[in-house]
Amino acid sequence: MDWQALNVSLLLAGLTALILTPLGVVIARKLAWSRFAGRNVVQALIALPLILPPTVLGFYLMVSLGELSPLGAFYRDLTGNALVFSFEGILLASVLFNIPFAVQPAQRSFEAIPINIREAAWCSGLSNWQTFWRIELPLAWPGVVSSAVLTVAHTLGEFGVVLMVGGNLAGETRTVAIAIYDRVQAFDNAGAATMSAALLAISLFAISLIYFLTDRAGRQSR
């Protein structure tokens, strides 16, 4: 097991989920309850990473974050470091690539809340914030937790985008998925098998947890 790569993967997954979970809740709630011009376009843009090849998205992110781009040049002037081939770069790329996993499960949960429950809360004198915090979020929590779990699991397994944006720098941008590829290239099948089994176990646990939360939410709603 490449523990250094595992630490990078866990840190990347944790920070990505920490950033995206509250952001995903805000976006999901807006899409669930609001009808506005361009809503379908916004939903399509959010879902785009699901169908784009990771190398395509990784290429555009690499160009967008490079030192010749406005964002890359600004970051270079601000910190003195390049944004590509850095942990900060793969973190930003991970946040963008995982947006659909953070938004869509939460959006479905908010959409499943009957409108009359929200109206009853308003008639009881609750503000929009109080309605969200005391009514909507407790009802939508399985979707919110699913969003966080999916974000973590998908980040741990991501390969193409991280490799394109971050390269393969030990201790900084080399994740477990990249370490597995390195082991295979070096004909170290035993090392690759160990790390692959770890990711398989994490993925199976994540999917099982999502199904458990979904079933529990369904029983509570009946």
Side-chain angles (χ1 to χ4, degrees), residues 72-90:
F74 172 77
Y75 185 82
R76 180 79 179 193
D77 293 339
L78 185 65
T79 66
N81 300 314
L83 193 53
V84 293
F85 306 119
S86 70
F87 181 82
E88 292 78 10
I90 63 173

Side-chain angles (χ1 to χ4, degrees), residues 22-120:
L23 181 62
V25 168
V26 172
I27 297 173
R29 185 175 182 270
K30 179 68 175 179
L31 291 174
W33 296 117
S34 301
R35 295 295 182 269
F36 53 89
R39 178 176 178 270
N40 290 332
V41 175
V42 171
Q43 293 188 109
L45 289 173
I46 289 174
L48 196 57
L50 294 175
I51 60 172
L52 272 181
T55 49
V56 172
L57 183 59
F59 170 76
Y60 283 116
L61 287 173
M62 181 181 66
V63 172
S64 301
L65 303 179
E67 293 186 45
L68 297 180
S69 69
L71 180 58
F74 172 77
Y75 185 82
R76 180 79 179 193
D77 293 339
L78 185 65
T79 66
N81 300 314
L83 193 53
V84 293
F85 306 119
S86 70
F87 181 82
E88 292 78 10
I90 63 173
L91 176 59
L92 179 56
S94 180
V95 167
L96 294 174
F97 188 71
N98 281 289
I99 284 178
F101 299 96
V103 171
Q104 291 184 348
Q107 181 182 346
R108 299 297 171 260
S109 289
F110 281 113
E111 288 174 341
I113 300 174
I115 185 63
N116 62 321
I117 293 180
R118 300 175 74 225
E119 292 173 345

Side-chain angles (χ1 to χ4, degrees), residues 122-145:
W122 295 332
C123 292
S124 300
L126 297 183
S127 64
N128 284 333
W129 169 251
Q130 289 172 324
T131 300
F132 165 74
W133 188 252
R134 297 173 60 181
I135 305 297
E136 295 176 19
L137 195 57
L139 291 174
W141 74 265
V144 175
V145 174

Side-chain angles (χ1 to χ4, degrees), residues 9-22:
S9 292
L10 292 175
L11 180 61
L12 180 64
L15 290 176
T16 300
L18 187 64
I19 293 169
L20 272 183
T21 301

Side-chain angles (χ1 to χ4, degrees), residues 197-210:
L199 286 186
L200 177 62
I202 293 172
S203 300
L204 180 60
F205 172 77
I207 295 173
S208 300
L209 179 59
I210 290 170

